[in-house]
Amino acid sequence: MASSASAAAAAAEVDSNKLQLAKGNNNDDDEHENGGQKMIHPVVSDLESYVGDLTGGGGDDDDASEDISLEGLEQELQECKHDQVVANILSKGTKLREYTKGVESNVRQVELESIEDYIKESDNLVSLHDQIRDCDIILSQMETLLSGFQAEIGSISSDIKILQEKSMDMGLKLKNRKVAESKLAKFVEDIIVPPRMIDIIVDGEVNDEYLRTLEILSKKLDFVKVDPMVKTSKALKDVQPELERLRQKAVSKVFDFMVQKLYALRKPKTNIQILQQSVLLKYKYIISFLKEHGKEIYVEIRAAYIDTMNKVLSAHFRAYIQALEKLQLDIATSSDLIGVEARSSSLFSRGREPLKNRSAVFALGERINILKEIDEPALIPHIAEASSKKYPYEVLFRSLHKLLMDTATSEYLFCDDFFGEESIFNDIFAGPFAVIDEHFNSILPNCFDAIGSMLMIRIIHQHQLIMSRRRIPCLDSYLDKVNIALWPRFKMVFDMHLNSLRNANVRSLWEDDVHPHYVMRRYAEFTASLIHLNVEYGDGQLELNLERLRMAVDDLLIKLSKTFSKAKLQTVFLINNYDMTISVLKEAGPEGGKIQLYFEDLLKNNTAVFVEELLLEHFSDLIKFVKTRASEDSKAVSEKPISVAEIEPLVKDFASRWKAAIELMHTDVIKSFSNFLCGMEILRAALTQLLLYYTRLLDCIKEIPGGSALNKDLVSIPSIMYEIKKYSRTF
């Protein structure tokens, strides 16, 4: 590397001398030719000297080598034995000194060749040197220029920063001025009174434009009252008197306008709801304006509206009630009770009619339909009167309260929307409620229709649900009050029915007839009606009262049955009444309830008693023998065995008249029981029991000695079964 650096320095010097040679004169040629000896340029001479220095000094190296220490050589040889070059040298046996000289010779040769290459390129290097120098000059100029630019840019940056600060300051001032301008503009807009607004308030008609102007005036009045900045403003002194005069004028004008509209409500045959929705609600802002800026006038208009609607609605309901009263059908009086003798009242003359013509006093019948029509429109009296139809009171009651609900709902929503007050409703409806209460208080004390009372209780309950679905609470207290009034009345009438049974005169009620008694029919229809009306409500108090009524009628029925002289007639009387009661109760509901189950048990027990009595009437000897002699207990107790002679008369008697006896039993059953199906069921039970007795007789005959001698007189079981089936086919 040191040789290369020396060569580069020599090449640079050669280049410089070469430039000088290029500028020489013609004397050079003379010097080349002088004495026939070639002139050596100083550069070449220096090069040879330089090369000589590189090749000299061999002897000194030999002397110096003797002083070289060989310590550690073995270790270095061990380390270098794997080197390829060292291995080749050692393998050839070449001396290291010779090899080193060869390497140095090669290096010198390479250096000389490199120097020659530099000499050959000397012209290019000179040109490059000039170009670099020119570039340095240009770069120096650019540096000076850029330094000037940098100074100018620094100055400009400082100016820009100053401008930026000024711009921000101006922007802040502009923003503040805009804020001030907007507030001032709003202040001016809110406080100024335009001439157009004055013209509309003073001379304009009350219409949509007038309402919009009222809103603007209201905002200005609020602005003057609320904004503290206005109170310190000098402009207020100029504007406030004008605003006050406009307020007074507006209040006076809208007061006259609203009074005129309220008077329209008093005109006969006016559809109040249409007038409220299409006219008054359009001007509801007037009420808001008066609430805020004309409190005294608002109170006057509110009072005027309350007074007007109170009188109008009271008159409407009074007229409607009077029209409904003409349509009322009287159902029951104080003497129309379950336990009252039919002959004492013409109303109960229907008590002994067939069940298909049940009296409306005790039977629900089609009256139940009123609960299915609960949300139907109210009756229109003049249309109903034209058709000469009469209605039970619960129909009129539903119609009246349907009208009340619809009117109250409409008025409640209107008052909330127009006045923004729900409490105003109670003031308006104080009159209508009083009219309805007066009517109801005159009707309720004279109501002896327990079914109708219970229907009205259910109607009130349904109306409460309707109002709840509408989410209108204004009638809650009124409907509760009516419900509370109806229950005691129902209980009182119910107790009248209960006491009529407990205090009934058995002799006056008794009739020499085993068919269902009219008192029992009344009870069955009355109970079935109340059960039906209690199906969806499960009123435990009502169920308890019905149980008390059942006990009373059961006691009365037993007393009536004992007035018959024959036990059989007593049983038939009870069966007919129990069967009729069960049939009526089944119509009230498929489940029947505890009362129906109770009468079914009584019917079953009395049917068994009647079957025994009927068989004893026609086969007393047979039954007596079977019970006393043919039973297992009697055989064990009796000392005398059963003989053919003892049993033969029974067999022959039965064989001779069993068919005729069955026919008589059939006829007796047909005459005794009003319900054909019940009678046939009883007859089949009697024949089945007869077959059982006869089967026990046959079993007894088989056990006695010589019993086979009676076989010719015995009736076969299939023959008796055939007769039983024959009568069973009549079902």
Side-chain angles (χ1 to χ4, degrees):
M1 294 297 293
S3 298
S4 299
S6 300
E13 186 177 356
V14 170
D15 290 339
S16 176
N17 293 330
K18 190 175 180 179
L19 291 173
Q20 294 176 1
L21 289 174
K23 298 178 182 180
N25 51 36
N26 296 330
N27 292 328
D28 295 336
D29 296 333
D30 295 336
E31 292 177 11
H32 283 289
E33 295 176 357
N34 188 7
Q37 189 177 0
K38 187 177 179 180
M39 285 289 293
I40 303 301
H41 193 278
V43 174
V44 177
S45 177
D46 292 339
L47 179 62
E48 290 177 352
S49 299
Y50 178 74
V51 173
D53 292 338
L54 293 174
T55 58
D60 295 335
D61 292 339
D62 294 335
D63 295 336
S65 62
E66 295 177 359
D67 299 330
I68 296 173
S69 175
L70 298 178
E71 185 179 357
L73 179 63
E74 185 67 26
Q75 183 179 356
E76 291 180 359
L77 290 175
Q78 288 296 328
E79 293 175 355
C80 296
K81 70 179 180 178
H82 298 295
D83 185 271
Q84 187 66 33
V85 176
V86 175
N88 291 334
I89 293 171
L90 295 176
S91 63
K92 292 178 181 180
T94 307
K95 292 182 178 181
L96 292 176
R97 185 178 298 277
E98 293 178 359
Y99 189 80
T100 301
K101 290 180 178 180
V103 171
E104 289 179 351
S105 176
N106 292 336
V107 169
R108 282 195 297 271
Q109 184 64 31
V110 171
E111 288 181 354
L112 290 175
E113 291 175 356
S114 177
I115 291 170
E116 290 177 359
D117 289 339
Y118 276 106
I119 293 172
K120 291 179 182 179
E121 297 295 329
S122 60
D123 292 339
N124 294 333
L125 292 172
V126 171
S127 176
L128 179 62
H129 181 267
D130 293 339
Q131 291 175 3
I132 291 172
R133 185 177 58 194
D134 293 340
C135 287
D136 287 340
I137 295 171
I138 293 171
L139 290 174
S140 177
Q141 294 174 353
M142 290 182 66
E143 181 181 6
T144 303
L145 181 62
L146 290 175
S147 297
F149 285 164
Q150 185 177 9
E152 292 179 3
I153 289 171
S155 176
I156 292 172
S157 174
S158 177
D159 294 341
I160 289 174
K161 186 175 182 181
I162 294 171
L163 291 174
Q164 185 178 9
E165 292 176 355
K166 290 182 179 180
S167 176
M168 291 176 64
D169 185 50
M170 292 175 65
L172 181 61
K173 291 180 180 179
L174 178 61
K175 182 179 179 181
N176 292 336
R177 288 179 181 179
K178 284 184 177 180
V179 172
E181 181 183 0
S182 63
K183 289 186 176 180
L184 182 60
K186 188 176 185 307
F187 173 81
V188 172
E189 181 183 356
D190 290 340
I191 202 170
I192 194 173
V193 181
R196 175 64 178 165
M197 186 177 76
I198 298 174
D199 293 339
I200 294 174
I201 294 295
V202 175
D203 301 323
E205 295 182 0
V206 180
N207 51 25
D208 293 341
E209 185 182 14
Y210 194 91
L211 295 179
R212 289 193 295 270
T213 308
L214 274 185
E215 291 185 30
I216 297 173
L217 176 60
S218 176
K219 291 179 181 178
K220 293 183 181 297
L221 292 171
D222 292 338
F223 179 70
V224 169
K225 291 179 183 178
V226 176
D227 198 321
M229 184 176 63
V230 179
K231 295 179 180 179
T232 60
S233 172
K234 294 181 179 180
L236 179 62
K237 297 179 181 179
D238 297 332
V239 175
Q240 191 170 19
E242 295 297 328
L243 287 175
E244 179 61 22
R245 282 194 288 271
L246 284 177
R247 184 195 69 80
Q248 293 176 359
K249 181 62 179 179
V251 167
S252 174
K253 194 163 190 173
V254 297
F255 173 74
D256 295 337
F257 176 80
M258 291 304 300
V259 168
Q260 181 184 359
K261 295 299 180 184
L262 294 182
Y263 280 146
L265 295 171
R266 300 187 179 186
K267 293 180 180 179
K269 299 182 180 179
T270 298
N271 191 318
I272 296 175
Q273 294 182 9
I274 292 179
L275 185 62
Q276 289 174 336
Q277 298 297 323
S278 62
V279 178
L280 293 181
L281 281 180
K282 287 174 57 179
Y283 302 102
K284 69 177 181 179
Y285 182 74
I286 291 176
I287 301 300
S288 301
F289 179 82
L290 292 176
K291 269 186 178 181
E292 192 171 355
H293 305 293
K295 191 67 176 179
E296 295 179 357
I297 300 300
Y298 167 75
V299 172
E300 290 185 27
I301 290 180
R302 182 180 183 276
Y305 180 81
I306 291 173
D307 181 65
T308 298
M309 292 304 298
N310 190 313
K311 291 178 179 178
V312 169
L313 293 178
S314 297
H316 284 183
F317 277 99
R318 184 175 288 106
Y320 188 73
I321 289 171
Q322 290 173 355
L324 288 181
E325 288 175 348
K326 298 177 182 178
L327 304 176
Q328 184 174 346
L329 175 65
D330 293 329
I331 298 295
T333 64
S334 59
S335 60
D336 295 332
L337 303 173
I338 297 175
V340 174
E341 184 184 356
R343 290 184 292 272
S344 64
S345 174
S346 60
L347 178 64
F348 288 97
S349 62
R350 295 173 300 206
R352 299 179 62 189
E353 294 177 3
L355 287 178
K356 63 181 181 180
N357 296 323
R358 289 174 294 188
S359 169
V361 178
F362 307 104
L364 185 60
E366 295 182 355
R367 297 173 73 181
I368 187 64
N369 293 335
I370 193 66
L371 296 179
K372 301 175 183 177
E373 303 165 358
I374 196 70
D375 210 16
E376 292 294 317
L379 285 175
I380 301 176
H382 67 271
I383 295 178
E385 192 173 356
S387 61
S388 301
K389 289 187 67 175
K390 298 289 184 179
Y391 301 92
Y393 182 71
E394 67 268 11
V395 176
L396 310 182
F397 180 84
R398 183 209 70 86
S399 186
L400 174 61
H401 284 80
K402 170 64 175 174
L403 178 64
L404 175 63
M405 285 195 305
D406 293 344
T407 306
T409 299
S410 175
E411 191 62 30
Y412 178 85
L413 294 175
F414 173 78
C415 290
D416 185 37
D417 194 6
F418 190 69
F419 290 98
E421 296 183 39
E422 298 177 0
S423 59
I424 196 173
F425 173 86
N426 295 325
D427 298 330
I428 293 172
F429 267 77
F433 284 155
V435 171
I436 297 173
D437 287 344
E438 180 184 357
H439 161 73
F440 195 59
N441 292 334
S442 66
I443 291 292
L444 198 59
N446 298 316
C447 178
F448 297 95
D449 181 10
I451 303 300
S453 298
M454 182 53 64
L455 281 170
M456 287 189 283
I457 290 172
R458 300 312 183 208
I459 288 170
I460 286 294
H461 178 76
Q462 292 296 324
H463 283 170
Q464 288 174 324
L465 294 179
I466 291 172
M467 294 302 288
S468 176
R469 287 195 294 269
R470 293 180 182 180
R471 297 184 179 180
I472 304 296
C474 58
L475 291 182
D476 289 353
S477 59
Y478 170 79
L479 294 176
D480 288 340
K481 182 180 70 173
V482 174
N483 190 49
I484 291 172
L486 284 169
W487 270 107
R489 186 63 192 179
F490 168 78
K491 183 64 167 56
M492 191 199 77
V493 177
F494 187 91
D495 288 344
M496 291 174 65
H497 286 288
L498 180 62
N499 292 329
S500 71
L501 292 174
R502 290 175 175 175
N503 304 326
N505 189 334
V506 177
R507 291 185 178 181
S508 62
L509 291 177
W510 182 77
E511 295 179 348
D512 192 11
D513 188 355
V514 295
H515 289 87
H517 198 277
Y518 60 85
V519 169
M520 200 64 182
R521 181 180 287 111
R522 293 173 186 171
Y523 163 78
E525 292 175 347
F526 184 76
T527 301
S529 299
L530 294 180
I531 289 175
H532 196 171
L533 291 174
N534 198 40
V535 169
E536 297 180 2
Y537 301 91
D539 193 321
Q541 189 64 34
L542 180 58
E543 292 177 355
L544 181 61
N545 287 326
L546 289 174
E547 183 65 19
R548 293 166 57 210
L549 191 69
R550 194 270 308 160
M551 294 170 63
V553 79
D554 198 21
D555 291 342
L556 178 60
L557 193 64
I558 296 297
K559 293 177 182 178
L560 288 173
S561 67
K562 290 181 178 179
T563 56
F564 291 94
S565 57
K566 296 181 180 180
K568 178 184 174 184
L569 294 179
Q570 295 177 7
T571 306
V572 170
F573 176 77
L574 292 174
I575 290 174
N576 279 327
N577 282 279
Y578 293 151
D579 178 67
M580 180 272 301
T581 302
I582 293 170
S583 299
V584 175
L585 290 176
K586 284 182 177 179
E587 295 179 6
E591 298 180 1
K594 293 187 292 184
I595 296 178
Q596 180 180 326
L597 294 176
Y598 174 79
F599 284 111
E600 286 177 350
D601 289 340
L602 291 178
L603 177 62
K604 182 179 179 181
N605 296 335
N606 282 274
T607 298
V609 172
F610 176 79
V611 166
E612 288 297 321
E613 292 175 349
L614 184 63
L615 292 176
L616 284 172
E617 185 177 341
H618 297 280
F619 303 100
S620 58
D621 295 338
L622 173 63
I623 295 172
K624 182 179 179 181
F625 175 81
V626 170
K627 287 183 176 181
T628 58
R629 301 284 288 158
S631 63
E632 296 296 332
D633 295 338
S634 61
K635 291 179 182 178
V637 174
S638 177
E639 298 179 356
K640 181 181 178 181
I642 301 173
S643 62
V644 175
E646 182 181 0
I647 204 170
E648 183 177 8
L650 296 176
V651 173
K652 290 184 177 181
D653 179 66
F654 183 83
S656 63
R657 62 183 188 86
W658 70 277
K659 287 187 178 180
I662 290 177
E663 182 62 31
L664 290 174
M665 290 168 58
H666 175 260
T667 304
D668 191 6
V669 167
I670 292 296
K671 291 180 179 180
S672 299
F673 300 104
S674 54
N675 186 348
F676 177 77
L677 294 178
C678 177
M680 290 299 99
E681 188 69 31
I682 292 172
L683 178 61
R684 185 169 63 176
L687 295 178
T688 303
Q689 185 63 31
L690 175 63
L691 180 62
L692 179 61
Y693 284 139
Y694 192 70
T695 302
R696 290 169 62 185
L697 177 65
L698 295 180
D699 293 340
C700 182
I701 292 173
K702 292 177 182 178
E703 294 177 0
I704 63 175
S708 59
L710 301 175
N711 288 345
K712 63 181 187 303
D713 295 323
L714 292 176
V715 179
S716 64
I717 297 298
S719 299
I720 299 175
M721 289 293 297
Y722 174 78
E723 290 297 320
I724 293 176
K725 291 180 180 179
K726 183 175 71 173
Y727 288 104
S728 297
R729 285 196 295 267
T730 58
F731 284 95

